[in-house]
Amino acid sequence: MTFEGTMTALITPFDENGDFDEEGFRENIKSQIDGGIDGIVPVGTTGECATLSYEEHEKVVEVAVDAADGKVPVVAGTGSNSTKEALMLTNYAAEAGADGVLLVAPYYNKPTQRGLYEHYKKLAEEVNIPQVIYNIPSRTGRNIEAETLIKLSELENVVGVKEASGDLNQVMKIARGSGEDFDILSGDDSLTLPILSLGGVGAVSVASNLVPGKISDLVSSYLEGDVEKARDIHFELMPLFKALFIETNPGPIKAAMNILGKPAGKPRLPLVEAESETKQKLREVMSELGLIK
């Protein structure tokens, strides 16, 4: 299976007590599908996977699969800094009916490139489900180097990478060295257009929580050959891309969703609600885009 187009890195909405808001989550997924999104990614960075219990993590995946109802692929975040835990979560996602999994690089313990390779090799061999590697060194403390990713692309079940290193030279090396059946997905909204130009086939987007139609249109326009339209949408959304990362994700996107009246709630500690200045900037940008009055 390949994952092309736009997939939304879903927020995990919480209620006033800080518990998982299942009804709100289902509402958000319906809105995403109605907005033309190509897939959903629950329990990733934006979904605050690091502060969910195992039971909550599994519940969110179950609800996502049920709410998607086969209309769009579900690629569940199942990465961990422990290979054993990643195996457990990945097995569960496969059993729950997810179409694929997103595996963030092991964080905190800073494995070597050999360690990273062996980690992903173990997962690929143990669980028969399409696996997308997630490279985001700003959060994990370790970059998965292009040479390692190219080697990993040769493994059965490893189907792509969500690239959020911010290094376009690395993206070029991966595109040149991996096969045509290895999907390169942008993991940074501001770099989606450049990554598409280097051979990327889609994006895992934070901004599409807010504007699914716009992000879908950007990606599909480029893939269909209308580069000018894709570029116009990119320039239109640049202020939003910037505003959504004034503070640590998912603080700003949750604030923006709350402003729009969508289920979101506050982030879980140690993350905190976006500052008032950030909320004001978001309102200004959202007003300019016609999302609010």
Side-chain angles (χ1 to χ4, degrees):
M1 175 178 284
T2 61
F3 300 109
E4 297 185 2
T6 301
M7 294 188 287
T8 298
L10 295 170
I11 64 165
T12 300
F14 299 127
D15 62 22
E16 292 180 356
N17 297 318
D19 296 322
F20 172 47
D21 178 3
E22 179 179 338
E23 183 178 344
F25 191 54
R26 289 180 180 274
E27 181 182 325
N28 286 344
I29 290 173
K30 182 180 185 303
S31 178
Q32 289 294 311
I33 294 171
D34 291 346
I37 216 71
D38 298 303
I40 56 173
V41 181
V43 285
T45 303
T46 308
E48 298 178 76
C49 61
T51 56
L52 298 178
S53 68
Y54 291 136
E55 293 78 13
E56 287 174 319
H57 192 116
E58 292 172 355
K59 180 65 174 178
V60 173
V61 173
E62 286 178 12
V63 174
V65 170
D66 184 65
D69 195 27
K71 296 181 178 70
V72 297
V74 177
V75 180
T78 61
S80 172
N81 64 337
S82 161
T83 304
K84 183 178 180 180
E85 289 179 5
L87 275 170
M88 179 189 71
L89 293 170
T90 302
N91 271 309
Y92 187 85
E95 293 169 3
D99 300 281
V101 293
L102 181 70
L103 295 160
V104 71
Y107 42 86
Y108 184 75
N109 43 30
K110 300 181 76 172
T112 63
Q113 294 302 304
R114 179 187 166 203
L116 289 167
Y117 178 81
E118 293 297 334
H119 168 79
Y120 285 113
K121 181 173 180 285
K122 178 74 170 177
L123 292 165
E125 290 175 344
E126 292 286 333
V127 191
N128 185 26
I129 189 172
Q131 300 176 17
V132 178
I133 294 168
Y134 180 15
N135 187 34
I136 181 166
S138 65
R139 302 287 288 237
T140 65
R142 178 66 78 206
N143 180 47
I144 308 174
E145 295 175 4
E147 293 76 12
T148 305
L149 280 163
I150 291 167
K151 187 177 178 183
L152 286 168
S153 73
E154 300 170 357
L155 297 176
E156 187 175 359
N157 289 325
V158 175
V159 300
V161 61
K162 176 186 175 184
E163 243 300 317
S165 67
D167 184 351
L168 292 178
N169 286 314
Q170 172 152 308
V171 175
M172 284 188 279
K173 290 178 183 177
I174 297 166
R176 185 173 63 181
S178 60
E180 292 183 1
D181 57 350
F182 186 71
D183 295 337
I184 299 175
L185 304 169
S186 169
D188 183 338
D189 281 304
S190 65
L191 292 181
T192 291
L193 185 61
I195 288 175
L196 290 173
S197 75
L198 295 172
V201 298
V204 180
S205 171
V206 174
S208 58
N209 279 282
L210 205 62
V211 286
K214 284 280 189 182
I215 304 297
S216 295
D217 206 12
L218 188 163
V219 174
S220 63
S221 294
Y222 190 93
L223 294 178
E224 292 166 6
D226 194 342
V227 177
E228 184 175 357
K229 182 178 180 181
R231 186 173 60 241
D232 288 344
I233 298 171
H234 171 79
F235 287 148
E236 178 188 5
L237 295 178
M238 275 180 60
L240 179 63
F241 297 158
K242 183 176 180 180
L244 289 176
F245 287 89
I246 293 173
E247 297 181 33
T248 302
N249 180 46
I253 186 60
K254 278 201 154 183
M257 294 284 280
N258 284 324
I259 291 169
L260 205 57
K262 298 285 188 180
K266 300 177 182 179
R268 276 188 177 169
L269 289 171
L271 295 181
V272 293
E273 191 174 7
E275 301 292 340
S276 57
E277 294 86 354
T278 299
K279 292 179 182 178
Q280 180 57 36
K281 180 61 179 179
L282 286 166
R283 289 189 184 94
E284 292 172 3
V285 171
M286 291 166 69
S287 179
E288 291 171 1
L289 289 172
L291 299 176
I292 59 173
K293 294 182 180 180

